[in-house]
Amino acid sequence: KNVKADHTIDVSFNVTTFIVEFRTDGNGTIDGNISQVIGFEKDAEPVIAISNDGYHFVKWSTTKRLDLNGSRVNPLIVTNVISDIDDFKANFEINIYEVVFNEIANGYLKGLKEQKVEHGKNSKPIMAIPNKGYKFVGWNNGSIDNPFKIKNVIESIEIEPIFEEVEIVEDLIVRKVNFLVDGQGGTIKGSSSQEVIDDTNCTPVIAVPKSGYKFVEWSDGSTDSTLIVKNVKVDLNMIAY
């Protein structure tokens, strides 16, 4: 008021800023600045969603920038920021692999031949059964377990059995059945190595856990600790877990 001389007056303005924050669902990490201060209508720095081992990035989610909710863009740059956004989340899903057991000539498979298995899990057991005049000798990955399951699956895989011709004497075939324990957590009560005539039964065995352990299942999926393998048509390694 009452201006009686020339004056120069400076006016200062504060720049409006906003917070943009990023997090994950726990199955991965964020590469980049996860808490950024951004000026009005400016762009955030890029961030990258990196999955943990066995997972893959699926999408971003947010309730405060609906145009970016569900975005699969990675790296992500949040453009034209005009408000706080504190709920950007990177979402991941576990990898699922295809495990395929292929049948070949001179035998067949008993069990689910095409399986979808999560990363790090085991496939369901499958049994290779030879035709008359043949014997099972193993799988093409080197395993001789039968029934067989792939443990700790970390990639898609195809497996097939290997059969060999056997000499038939008076139409009589002897099958070998071994009863084993996985690791040191228990013992087998009964005859752990048996030879039986083709298509007959083994004598019963019992999986006995040691102190501090418990029996879970046999390799064919049976959960009864007492096992009688019936109608044996193939050499077997039955493993107690």
Side-chain angles (χ1 to χ4, degrees), residues 31-220:
D31 183 14
N33 188 352
I34 63 173
S35 182
Q36 304 181 26
V37 179
I38 310 299
F40 180 73
E41 293 186 340
K42 300 296 183 181
D43 298 344
E45 300 171 15
V47 293
I48 304 174
I50 301 176
S51 62
N52 290 343
D53 185 39
Y55 288 80
H56 60 276
F57 170 74
V58 178
K59 64 181 179 180
W60 297 95
S61 60
T62 174
T63 61
K64 298 182 178 180
R65 273 291 295 264
L66 297 183
D67 60 315
L68 295 176
N69 184 46
S71 173
R72 298 178 181 271
V73 174
N74 193 31
L76 175 69
I77 300 176
V78 182
T79 59
N80 193 34
V81 175
I82 58 174
S83 64
D84 291 330
I85 311 173
D86 61 0
D87 68 343
F88 264 111
K89 182 171 70 173
N91 298 276
F92 304 89
E93 290 182 357
I94 194 166
N95 295 341
I96 296 177
Y97 307 109
E98 291 187 356
V99 177
V100 178
F101 298 91
N102 292 318
E103 285 188 329
I104 64 171
N106 306 320
Y108 62 97
L109 299 176
K110 183 179 180 181
L112 185 60
K113 293 186 283 291
E114 295 185 5
Q115 305 181 24
K116 294 185 181 298
V117 183
E118 289 185 353
H119 180 88
K121 302 294 186 181
N122 301 338
S123 70
K124 295 180 180 178
I126 194 162
M127 183 181 292
I129 301 176
N131 292 340
K132 185 176 182 179
Y134 289 84
K135 67 177 181 178
F136 168 79
V137 296
W139 301 90
N140 65 339
N141 71 338
S143 174
I144 59 173
D145 292 344
N146 197 27
F148 172 58
K149 61 182 176 182
I150 302 175
K151 300 179 181 179
N152 189 31
V153 175
I154 57 174
E155 62 183 355
S156 294
I157 188 172
E158 290 192 28
I159 297 290
E160 63 183 37
I162 301 171
F163 301 110
E164 288 184 357
E165 190 172 6
V166 295
E167 181 180 356
I168 301 177
V169 180
E170 296 181 355
D171 206 26
L172 186 67
I173 298 177
V174 175
R175 303 297 188 184
K176 294 181 179 181
V177 181
N178 296 314
F179 298 90
L180 309 169
V181 173
D182 183 45
Q184 304 297 319
T187 59
I188 300 297
K189 183 179 180 180
S191 178
S192 60
S193 181
Q194 302 184 27
E195 292 187 353
V196 297
I197 302 302
D198 185 70
D199 206 25
T200 62
N201 301 342
C202 290
T203 59
V205 296
I206 303 174
V208 181
K210 293 181 180 179
S211 177
Y213 291 84
K214 68 176 181 178
F215 169 77
V216 178
E217 65 176 357
W218 291 95
S219 51
D220 66 349

Side-chain angles (χ1 to χ4, degrees), residues 27 49 78 99 113 223 229 235:
N27 296 312
V78 182
V99 177
K113 293 186 283 291
T223 56
V229 182
D235 293 340

